Amino acid sequence: LPVQAHGRVGTGGDHAKFSPVATACYRLHTEVTLLESVFDEDAEELVHLYEPGVFELVPSDVPGKRVEAKVCNAYACTMSRNYMRNPTLAKAVKMTRIPNHFIFSVESV
């Protein structure tokens, strides 16, 4: 992980926003896969139950089906398990964490 930081020796009295603390956290990247195709009402439910941006609805190529759910941004996943309330979705979605892929977040003023 290459990191570059610049600092200046001082006590912080020369800057009004000086704060000696910062919030830092990390999480493991989540891999989201669909084990089965999810169509129509179940696809719409999956898109609305899950975090925004993880799944998207696309027109379906299967005759008799309107839309299909596809994974579009697994990065946005925070391991929500709301989809497991629906037995069809519980069998169709698989979430795993990638053990060597970390996402760091550092907040500072």
Side-chain angles (χ1 to χ4, degrees):
L1 177 68
V3 176
Q4 183 177 11
H6 299 275
R8 185 170 45 132
V9 177
T11 61
D14 57 339
H15 197 282
K17 291 185 179 180
F18 174 75
S19 177
V21 297
T23 303
C25 63
Y26 75 94
R27 65 183 174 100
L28 291 172
H29 191 283
T30 306
E31 182 178 15
V32 181
T33 53
L34 287 173
L35 303 174
E36 303 172 2
S37 296
V38 180
F39 298 103
D40 299 335
E41 291 81 21
D42 286 334
E44 291 170 355
E45 183 179 356
L46 180 61
V47 168
H48 292 94
L49 279 178
Y50 223 75
E51 288 94 358
V54 177
F55 292 99
E56 67 180 347
L57 293 174
V58 295
S60 176
D61 296 336
V62 178
K65 305 291 184 181
R66 292 180 297 112
V67 292
E68 183 177 2
K70 295 284 183 186
V71 178
C72 67
N73 184 12
Y75 179 81
C77 178
T78 59
M79 296 293 288
S80 170
R81 290 185 169 84
N82 288 336
Y83 71 91
M84 296 194 83
R85 296 177 185 165
N86 181 330
T88 305
L89 297 177
K91 291 188 293 185
V93 179
K94 179 182 177 186
M95 286 190 311
T96 56
R97 290 187 173 134
I98 302 171
N100 58 353
H101 190 157
F102 297 90
I103 300 170
F104 284 90
S105 175
V106 179
E107 297 178 14
S108 65
V109 182

